[in-house]
């Protein structure tokens, strides 16, 4: 939506700046090769066995050329002048046996390397997902979801081939190269010098190619991240509705096409980079045998004994040397290319969560007289802005909500009400002051224990693309059908669910779009009731509903708040008129507090807001 993405382009720049800030905050990667090798540590036994198989197979692969020499010199053209069939059959039989053994070892080795490589890749993906789950909420507010998805899918998937093939390729090709080099020296040191004279130039060229491919790989992954982000943004239900309602489908298609064209261009560049190098290597391989023939003739003319079997065996060994050398060069190129992907992966793994459990953190108190008590003591909070400065959101906020009390926070948009609700479960960390839960500073509590005591119903209800029953059981996986129905009845949604053809097995669709706003909200309330927390936070839970749906949902909320501490963030004052205490928040401060009647009669901010809503 290019017109809209003028805001969109600005937003994209903010995302990029936030991402760069996060990357800058991450520690430098100390030793990429060491860290990558450490991923294989849990698979030592399989790797040792793989190494043994590779070494044996590589060693055996050099024997056939030597046997070829014997087949020529002792079987086909022996000194006696006539072929020696028994000797030739023995040599051919030995060659076939070696081929069978190396084939079997190759299959076994491929299974081992594939298993280890894919397990390492899977563990790396889970490790990154687990790490991201521990990141603070602010990380996700400043980073595009599509970018995160790309790190998990494209970056980890991009190193799959390296993880699967590198170990066996490096070991096998190295052993083969060494064995072939020794065999060539044994056959003729003069011809060996000719065969290897250009190798240093190829190594230098390979390094240059690798540097180019690494740069292109980084650009390719960044482009893939952007493609994933565009897809995630525009092909979600919300994105499609937005594009259609503003007739921006063509603009979105153009945006996707432009990035896709960039991706195609980068993929072609990545594919073509190094092709001239491998073409040069192929040319080198093609002309070496011819040069060897000429040099061999020159040696023979110079009275250096070189047999026909030696020449045939040498060219065969030389070919077996060149292919592993090319393999090692390809691995080196792949490693240089994958270094960019590993750097991006470790970059995320090195991000330190801003909010972590203290080493001495403890569970929340089980004292019945304290459970449900929430207190702010001179709390201030600052959201960092995109210039790295700080914009104050809350300033010296203090209040105390007793167990079972219904407290409401009201005020103009942007006053800091939702921030208060985020600080209670420690989704954000207070800049100064103390947030207390059941009498304990939330920084001294285990986050998992704290979160288990709090239920949240927000304005933007999130439902999975699953059945109603599965969405409800997200709060309590072991819940019985009877418990589901009890929670649904309390949320005033059971009768509605039963009216659906599939009942609780009804699939709600992406983000619950097959349901009405009121139905989604009541399912969310039922989910919280199934969790049964002592503290319930209602963040603008009815602000997006029509008046009829609001009344139905409000009855469900009244039922949900019974017997537990309830903190309501409200825009419509009529929904919190019955609160025990109403806190009026303005410009990050609590400017008034009291009951509805007390605040209306006080002729302050609350009274003004109430009068405005009454006249609408």
């Amino acid at each position: 939506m290019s017109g809209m993405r003028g805001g969109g382009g600005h937003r994209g720049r903010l995302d990029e700046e936030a991402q760069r800030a996060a990357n800058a905050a991450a520690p430098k990667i100390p030793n990429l090769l060491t860290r990558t090798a450490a991923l294989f540590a849990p698979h030592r036994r399989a790797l040792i066995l793989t190494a043994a198989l590779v070494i044996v197979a590589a060693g055996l692969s050099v024997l056939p050329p030597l046997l070829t020499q014997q087949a020529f010199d002792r079987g086909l053209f022996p000194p006696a002048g006539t072929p020696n069939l028994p000797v030739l059959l023995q040599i051919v039989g030995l060659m076939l046996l070696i081929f069978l053994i190396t084939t079997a070892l190759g299959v076994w080795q491929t299974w081992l390397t594939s298993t280890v490589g894919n397990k390492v890749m899977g563990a790396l993906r889970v490790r990154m997902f687990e790490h991201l789950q521990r990141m603070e909420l602010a990380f996700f507010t400043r980073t595009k979801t599509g970018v995160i998805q790309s790190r998990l899918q494209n970056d980890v998937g991009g190193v799959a081939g390296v993880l699967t093939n590198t170990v066996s390729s490096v070991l096998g090709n190295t052993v083969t190269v060494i064995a072939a080099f020794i065999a060539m020296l044994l056959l003729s040191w003069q011809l060996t010098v000719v065969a290897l004279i250009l190798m240093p130039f190829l190594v230098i060229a390979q390094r240059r190619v690798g540097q180019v491919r690494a740069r292109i790989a980084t650009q390719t992954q960044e482009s893939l991240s952007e493609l994933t982000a565009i897809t995630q943004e525009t092909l979600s239900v919300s994105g499609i509705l937005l594009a259609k309602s503003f007739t921006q489908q063509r603009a979105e298609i153009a945006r996707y096409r432009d990035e896709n064209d960039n991706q195609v261009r980068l993929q072609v560049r990545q594919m073509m980079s190094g092709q001239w190098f491998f073409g040069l290597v192929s040319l080198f391989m093609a002309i070496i045998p011819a040069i060897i023939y000429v040099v061999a003739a020159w040696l023979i003319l110079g009275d250096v004994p070189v047999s026909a079997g030696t020449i045939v065996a040498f060219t065969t060994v030389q070919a077996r040397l060149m292919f592993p050398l090319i393999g090692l060069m390809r691995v080196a190129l792949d490693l240089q290319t994958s270094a960019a992907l590993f750097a991006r992966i470790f970059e995320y793994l090195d991000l330190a969560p801003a909010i972590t459990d203290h080493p001495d953190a403890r569970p929340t108190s089980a004292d019945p007289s304290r459970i449900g008590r929430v207190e702010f003591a001179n709390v201030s909070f600052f959201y960092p802005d995109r210039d790295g400065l700080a914009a104050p959101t809350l300033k010296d906020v203090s209040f105390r909500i007793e167990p079972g009390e219904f407290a409401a926070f009201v005020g103009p948009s942007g006053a800091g009400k939702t921030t208060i609700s985020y600080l209670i479960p420690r989704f954000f960390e207070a800049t100064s002051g103390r947030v207390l839960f059941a009498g304990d500073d939330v920084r001294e509590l285990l986050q998992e224990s704290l979160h288990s005591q709090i239920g949240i119903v927000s304005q933007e209800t999130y439902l999975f693309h699953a059945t109603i029953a599965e969405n409800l059981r997200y709060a309590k996986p072991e819940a019985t059908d009877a418990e589901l129905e009890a929670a649904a009845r309390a949320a005033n949604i059971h009768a509605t669910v039963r009216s659906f053809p599939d009942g609780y097995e009804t699939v709600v669709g992406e983000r619950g779009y097959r349901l009405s706003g009121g139905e989604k909200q009541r399912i969310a309330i039922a989910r919280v009731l199934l969790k049964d927390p002592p503290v319930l936070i209602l963040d603008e839970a009815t602000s997006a509903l029509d008046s009829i749906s609001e009344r139905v949902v409000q009855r469900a909320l009244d039922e949900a708040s019974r017997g537990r501490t309830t903190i309501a963030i409200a825009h419509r004052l009529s929904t919190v008129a019955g609160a025990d205490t109403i806190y009026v928040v303005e410009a990050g401060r609590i400017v008034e507090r009291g009951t509805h009647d007390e605040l209306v009669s006080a002729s302050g901010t609350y009274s003004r807001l109430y009068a405005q809503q009454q006249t609408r």
Side-chain angles (χ1 to χ4, degrees), residues 20-38:
R20 283 197 294 270
N23 294 343
K28 299 295 183 182
I29 298 173
N31 190 323
L32 194 59
L33 186 59
T34 300
R35 295 186 68 177
T36 303

Side-chain angles (χ1 to χ4, degrees), residues 8 15 49 103 127 151 244 247 323 357 394 414 541 553 596 602:
D15 287 339
L49 178 58
T103 299
R127 179 179 165 192
R151 296 276 175 134
K244 288 182 178 295
T247 62
F323 282 115
D357 286 334
L394 296 179
V553 171
H596 171 74

Side-chain angles (χ1 to χ4, degrees), residues 323-581:
F323 282 115
L325 278 174
I326 292 176
L328 286 174
M329 290 177 181
R330 286 191 182 276
V331 169
L333 287 177
D334 289 342
L335 286 174
Q336 285 178 277
T337 302
S338 299
L341 306 187
F342 278 116
R344 287 166 57 87
I345 292 169
F346 289 131
E347 188 176 74
Y348 261 31
L349 290 176
D350 288 337
L351 290 174
I355 300 175
T356 57
D357 286 334
H358 190 274
D360 299 324
R362 59 184 182 276
T364 56
S365 173
D367 185 348
S369 64
R370 296 166 57 185
I371 295 176
R373 181 183 300 154
V374 176
E375 183 177 357
F376 275 39
N378 303 114
V379 171
S380 294
F381 178 76
F382 299 82
Y383 279 110
D385 65 18
R386 67 188 182 95
D387 295 320
L389 305 174
T393 304
L394 296 179
K395 309 170 194 172
D396 296 319
V397 172
S398 297
F399 61 83
R400 179 167 174 166
I401 303 171
E402 294 297 338
E405 186 178 348
F406 179 13
F409 290 85
V410 302
S413 296
K417 306 184 297 297
T418 297
T419 301
I420 290 173
S421 72
Y422 284 161
L423 291 174
I424 296 170
R426 206 183 168 205
F427 291 159
F428 290 98
E429 196 88 274
T431 306
S432 63
R434 301 173 71 207
V435 178
L436 301 157
F437 188 90
D440 297 314
D441 192 316
V442 294
R443 288 170 292 196
E444 300 171 358
L445 299 175
L446 292 169
Q447 293 182 73
E448 186 174 354
S449 178
L450 175 63
H451 297 164
S452 70
Q453 301 294 307
I454 300 172
I456 300 175
V457 180
S458 64
Q459 174 184 344
E460 296 184 8
T461 301
Y462 189 91
L463 298 181
F464 297 102
H465 186 73
T467 65
I468 293 174
E470 288 170 329
N471 272 282
L472 292 176
R473 283 197 173 93
Y474 193 74
K476 186 179 179 181
E478 72 280 7
T480 64
D481 291 344
E483 289 175 311
L484 293 187
E485 290 190 13
R489 288 181 190 278
N492 200 18
I493 191 64
H494 174 70
T496 303
V497 173
R498 296 295 295 175
S499 70
F500 298 151
D502 296 325
Y504 283 87
E505 296 305 311
T506 300
V507 176
V508 301
E510 180 73 17
R511 299 182 66 89
Y513 269 93
R514 294 183 63 186
L515 305 177
S516 70
E519 290 167 347
K520 286 193 295 184
Q521 203 72 322
R522 282 178 284 160
I523 288 175
I525 295 168
R527 185 165 57 189
V528 168
L529 288 173
L530 199 60
K531 181 180 180 181
D532 194 23
V535 174
L536 179 63
I537 297 176
L538 307 174
D539 185 5
E540 304 272 16
T542 63
S543 62
L545 303 178
D546 58 76
S547 57
I548 296 176
S549 296
E550 180 186 359
R551 285 195 294 271
V552 176
V553 171
Q554 190 60 52
R555 287 198 295 270
L557 290 174
D558 292 341
E559 177 65 28
S561 62
R562 186 173 293 117
R564 69 186 87 235
T565 303
T566 302
I567 299 169
I569 311 298
H571 175 71
R572 296 178 185 174
L573 304 185
S574 59
T575 62
V576 295
D580 298 313
T581 306

